[in-house]
Amino acid sequence: MKCLDGKATGVCVAIGVLCSATLSVAQIPANPRVEIVYVQPSNRAFQPIYDRLKKRQVLEEVQRFLAPLKLPRKLTVKLDQCGAQQVQHVSQGPVTICYELVDQIEKVGAKIDPAARPGVIAGAFIQAVLYQVAQGVLDILDVPVWGRVGDASDRFAALVMLKFGEELAARTIYGTSVFFDASQHTWTGSAFADATSPEAQRYYNYLCIAYGGSPITFNYLVTTSGGKGPILPIERSRRCPGEYRQVLKAFDMRIMPYVDPDLVIKVRATPWLLPTDTK
Amino acid sequence: MRVVPAAFRQPQSDAVRSTVRVVTLALVALVAAWCGPVAAQAPAELVSGTVSYAYLPPKSPKYVPMVERLKAFRILEQLSEFLAPLRLPHKLTLTTKECGFVNAYYAPSRWVIEVCYEFVETLERIGPKQGETSEFTYEEVVVGALVGVLLHEGGHSVFDMLDVPVFGREEDAADEMSTFIAMQFSKDVALSIVKGYAYITKSWFGVSVPIYSDEHGTGLQRYYNTLCIAYGGAPDLFKDFVAKSDLPKERAANCPNEYQQIKRAFEKTILPFVDQEKLKKVQATPWLQLTPTQAAALKQQQQAQQQTFTFSVCNMSKVSNVSVALMGKSPNDPNTWRVVGWFEIPDSGCNYIGSFYGDKIYWYAEGSNKAVWRAAETDRTGSKQCIDHAKAFEEVGGTKCSAGQVQVNFRLRTISPADVGVTLRLN
């Protein structure tokens, strides 16, 4: 399924991830506890992003994707201009996907092989949405979180990425890893005090959960080729099955009681990202 | 690829890596190691029936005095008493042993916590020298950090045995457990453990090149996390300590929330397994108070360490593939100069080389495109020694060059008495 405007631009594809299966997605009810807001950016440079995302009804798709989740109170998901690529989530506050981050994802995408570009942009965009939503869900459900919340949200997001079929898992994890790998951020001194982990660390965290949960699909992460070592060093990869089981256990114990089993089957059966979306 | 020879091969930057997993209440037990008489005052109800222990005899004679000291302090006995409030589903075994490497760890397949004599030895070695800093005391680093590490391992064991759901990275979670538990005791205990743990995460783990693929955070991440949780839980107690650090205001502002997050997680996942009456007794026990004899013993250890220093090398130059050869004296053999090569230094990064004895060290470095750092031939402060470009080498200083070796003039680095951690920067 093509994006509505027929363009294969980054945003179009990213949106396509969510709008591609519009007909099927339309059969899934929007979560009534999920409120969505498109905030008009004051920076005119972000206006095209705002226009495209709103036209493609990206947040409406998020509302449907979250349909199985039984939330005790309202969760607001908004697209906004933040002044930074991401803002720290405040308890009981909205989750925000920043136009600055979407812009950065597209800029990273513009530098890579055109053939891989749509998938990378789509994967990175989905990661951004899932990461933010995870923070909101952990907060609203008052989930006890051991470890840093940002890392917990990354593990949450990686786990969800693996639950919608091999192909979608491969695309989203790949897009996420390329985006983090492209970061030019240098970490020294007090930069390590940041509540968000370094991009390189997050890169390995996503890959580890992916390999741990789906070792066949992601076998390429632990194989050597051309004299180069594996992408995931063996010291880490041998721990990944355990890391995956750990986050899966936490998810099953703390999140699944709030998930409608019938609706989750419908959501999982929906083709959220078709191969044609990234062409 | 060049191989670092066995001599001077030092612990990895994060000695707490690998397995380490103890029991939360290890704090008190470890503390007890340094306070025998106090241990004798522990309530009888705190004797644990689920924790066994053993001081395994070391292979190296040099550790015999340490083992005797640990036994005299009744460290493992005290740890088992400290763990008494926790209702564990399995028997837990505590051991001290010579490992051949620097670590303290929990082995989930055996429900065993093992503290290596090498780890205790390293803590004693890296503790601040007299007059080096007013920010940390030797006692805080040796006792507080050891307790902090045991609490970290305790976190791992509790997560494992109690099947606790851990959403974030477990190593960070174990650090959180360590600091959180430290905060539940007296102000002195909290300060000692938090400061000791902060010291080793910054000054030991934090000096190496970050390994982002590691399951542990970087040393500096762990340092700031520790500061943040402590400050968030007791801002008045830790405001001075945090003020001397470079914890950014933006992070500090959210620290109370981070502490509350951990407190909620503890209350929901661990507290149901804690016997409240026994916990009150543990909290009421004056842990970490050294008797005059024990304080004197620590003082002696500190003095014995006065003539040791740790040595790291950073490559700040534009030269790549830098390797370093050194001539120094090992703390285990302080009468012998040994020449050792090669230690690889990452491009734009650092490598922790190890601990050395005395007030001098000689070094030589080389990298790509024939770049070298050495003393001039006429520099009489240098020391002419043999190196082997082709392979790793290790020999007594002054040895005649063998086939394949060449002689170069090593540069002298003099170590001042206050220097406990020396970093050589190659520019």
Side-chain angles (χ1 to χ4, degrees):
Chain A
M1 184 176 291
K2 297 281 186 185
C3 281
L4 297 180
D5 60 4
K7 295 178 182 175
T9 62
V11 169
C12 173
V13 171
I15 296 166
V17 169
L18 296 167
C19 74
S20 61
T22 302
L23 294 178
S24 299
V25 170
Q27 295 168 1
I28 297 174
N31 189 322
R33 291 290 178 96
V34 175
E35 181 183 76
I36 58 172
V37 182
Y38 295 88
V39 180
Q40 182 93 32
S42 57
N43 184 341
R44 301 186 69 164
F46 298 136
Q47 187 65 36
I49 295 175
Y50 165 83
D51 290 339
R52 290 198 297 267
L53 294 179
K54 190 172 184 182
K55 183 179 179 183
R56 300 296 172 239
Q57 300 188 330
V58 169
L59 294 185
E60 286 80 352
E61 302 300 333
V62 173
Q63 272 183 313
R64 290 188 167 88
F65 183 78
L66 296 175
L69 204 52
K70 294 177 281 189
L71 297 170
R73 61 181 170 81
K74 188 171 287 185
L75 170 66
T76 300
V77 180
K78 67 175 182 176
L79 274 158
D80 199 356
Q81 182 180 326
C82 309
Q85 288 184 22
Q86 64 179 42
V87 290
Q88 190 164 29
H89 177 257
V90 176
S91 182
Q92 303 200 23
V95 298
T96 306
I97 299 115
C98 303
Y99 293 124
E100 288 87 342
L101 179 58
V102 179
D103 184 51
Q104 179 62 20
I105 289 171
E106 293 192 357
K107 284 176 178 169
V108 168
K111 294 178 183 174
I112 64 175
D113 179 359
R117 185 178 302 156
V120 168
I121 293 176
F125 182 79
I126 289 174
Q127 181 277 329
V129 172
L130 290 178
Y131 172 79
Q132 293 296 337
V133 166
Q135 293 204 39
V137 170
L138 291 171
D139 176 43
I140 285 182
L141 299 183
D142 197 20
V143 173
V145 175
W146 283 108
R148 306 199 323 160
V149 172
D151 294 329
S153 301
D154 274 334
R155 284 155 60 103
F156 185 128
L159 184 72
V160 171
M161 288 177 182
L162 300 183
K163 295 301 176 187
F164 292 85
E166 183 177 316
E167 194 169 349
L168 184 59
R171 291 182 188 191
T172 50
I173 291 293
Y174 178 69
T176 300
S177 66
V178 169
F179 179 68
F180 284 135
D181 193 37
S183 168
Q184 300 295 312
H185 189 174
T186 301
W187 290 73
T188 56
S190 62
F192 285 107
D194 202 291
T196 304
S197 295
E199 292 82 359
Q201 210 169 54
R202 299 177 71 189
Y203 166 86
Y204 286 111
N205 290 342
Y206 274 91
L207 296 186
C208 188
I209 295 299
Y211 173 69
S214 192
I216 296 175
T217 303
F218 294 99
N219 185 59
Y220 71 91
L221 295 175
V222 297
T223 55
T224 56
S225 65
K228 292 183 178 178
I231 296 171
L232 261 179
I234 190 169
E235 295 80 10
R236 181 66 182 272
S237 63
R238 67 185 179 191
R239 296 176 179 275
C240 295
E243 289 194 38
Y244 173 79
R245 286 194 301 271
Q246 188 174 56
V247 71
L248 180 64
K249 179 175 73 178
F251 193 92
D252 284 346
M253 286 182 72
R254 294 294 176 176
I255 307 297
M256 285 309 288
Y258 298 94
V259 172
D260 182 316
D262 295 324
L263 273 175
V264 83
I265 288 173
K266 289 182 180 175
V267 169
R268 289 185 64 191
T270 302
W272 295 93
L273 176 59
L274 299 174
T276 50
D277 294 326
T278 56
K279 288 181 179 175
Chain B
M1 186 172 184
R2 287 166 163 174
V3 179
V4 178
F8 302 152
R9 187 179 292 159
Q10 289 299 317
Q12 295 299 306
S13 60
D14 45 349
V16 198
R17 57 193 315 162
S18 79
T19 16
V20 192
R21 315 181 183 210
V22 180
V23 183
T24 306
L25 306 180
L27 176 169
V28 181
L30 212 278
V31 171
W34 303 99
C35 46
V38 173
Q41 297 166 6
E45 310 90 273
L46 296 184
V47 174
S48 173
T50 58
V51 183
S52 59
Y53 56 86
Y55 299 90
L56 301 182
K59 298 169 190 166
S60 307
K62 68 173 181 173
Y63 291 129
V64 171
M66 178 191 292
V67 177
E68 294 308 312
R69 192 166 64 244
L70 293 174
K71 284 181 178 176
F73 287 144
R74 299 180 64 250
I75 182 167
L76 297 184
E77 293 89 329
Q78 294 300 313
L79 179 53
S80 69
E81 292 166 3
F82 181 65
L83 295 173
L86 205 53
R87 287 189 285 266
L88 297 172
H90 313 290
K91 278 218 169 191
L92 177 67
T93 303
L94 313 173
T95 63
T96 58
K97 62 182 285 192
E98 183 177 351
C99 305
F101 50 83
V102 180
N103 212 339
Y105 54 93
Y106 166 69
S109 59
R110 296 179 287 132
W111 300 317
V112 171
I113 292 168
E114 294 178 333
V115 179
C116 302
Y117 297 132
E118 292 89 341
F119 185 83
V120 180
E121 178 189 40
T122 303
L123 280 181
E124 292 176 348
R125 193 170 287 164
I126 68 168
K129 296 178 178 177
Q130 267 182 324
E132 179 193 353
T133 173
S134 59
E135 203 173 340
F136 301 94
T137 67
Y138 187 75
E139 180 184 326
E140 284 167 350
V141 173
V142 175
V143 181
L146 182 53
V147 174
V149 167
L150 282 169
L151 290 179
H152 170 101
E153 300 311 323
H156 283 303
S157 71
V158 168
F159 296 145
D160 174 44
M161 286 192 174
L162 301 182
D163 210 20
V164 173
V166 178
F167 251 115
R169 285 156 53 102
E170 185 174 331
E171 293 298 336
D172 291 333
D175 280 348
E176 291 173 352
M177 177 75 84
S178 174
T179 305
F180 179 78
I181 294 300
M183 306 279 291
Q184 310 313 310
F185 292 86
S186 71
K187 291 180 179 178
D188 288 343
V189 168
L191 274 170
S192 179
I193 296 171
V194 168
K195 290 176 69 176
Y197 206 68
Y199 182 90
I200 62 168
T201 50
K202 183 179 185 183
S203 301
W204 183 2
F205 311 155
V207 299
S208 295
V209 177
I211 302 174
Y212 293 116
S213 61
D214 199 282
E215 74 272 21
H216 295 84
T218 66
L220 287 180
Q221 279 181 298
R222 301 175 71 179
Y223 166 71
Y224 290 116
N225 289 343
T226 300
L227 288 187
C228 186
I229 297 163
Y231 178 66
D236 288 341
L237 183 60
F238 286 97
K239 64 183 177 187
D240 290 341
F241 184 54
V242 166
K244 292 176 185 171
S245 75
D246 53 354
L247 183 70
K249 289 179 180 175
E250 299 76 24
R251 176 75 185 273
N254 196 47
C255 292
N257 291 332
E258 292 194 35
Y259 178 82
Q260 287 303 318
Q261 171 213 318
I262 297 162
K263 184 169 182 281
R264 279 199 302 276
F266 185 88
E267 289 171 349
K268 281 192 169 188
T269 62
I270 309 292
L271 202 57
F273 298 94
V274 174
D275 183 314
Q276 293 298 313
E277 291 304 313
K278 287 184 178 178
L279 178 62
K280 286 176 185 171
K281 290 188 171 75
V282 168
Q283 287 178 312
T285 303
W287 309 103
L288 277 182
Q289 291 183 338
L290 300 184
T291 66
T293 305
Q294 291 157 354
L298 259 187
K299 190 80 173 173
Q300 270 191 330
Q301 287 172 10
Q302 184 183 22
Q303 287 169 347
Q305 300 303 326
Q306 288 295 295
Q307 291 183 288
T308 67
F309 60 94
T310 61
F311 193 70
S312 301
V313 180
C314 299
N315 179 11
M316 301 289 103
S317 73
K318 293 180 179 177
V319 178
S320 59
N321 301 319
V322 170
S323 296
V324 171
L326 298 170
M327 182 171 76
K329 295 176 179 176
S330 165
N332 299 329
D333 186 10
N335 296 318
T336 307
W337 286 98
R338 300 192 73 82
V339 186
V340 183
W342 296 93
F343 299 93
E344 293 181 346
I345 313 301
D347 297 348
S348 304
C350 305
N351 194 7
Y352 174 79
I353 306 297
S355 290
F356 296 86
Y357 176 86
D359 60 0
K360 292 184 181 69
I361 192 166
Y362 296 87
W363 62 277
Y364 166 88
E366 61 183 31
S368 297
N369 299 323
K370 300 183 178 179
V372 295
W373 290 263
R374 62 182 173 187
E377 284 299 305
T378 55
D379 184 350
R380 294 193 174 187
T381 65
S383 178
K384 293 183 177 178
Q385 301 295 331
C386 303
I387 61 169
D388 191 324
H389 288 292
K391 61 179 185 291
F393 59 94
E394 175 187 346
E395 56 201 23
V396 174
T399 303
K400 190 177 178 182
C401 293
S402 55
Q405 292 190 328
V406 295
Q407 190 181 65
V408 297
N409 201 14
F410 280 43
R411 275 194 201 176
L412 168 66
R413 174 70 181 256
T414 302
I415 313 300
S416 72
D419 279 344
V420 64
V422 177
T423 300
L424 171 68
R425 298 180 189 280
L426 301 176
N427 295 306

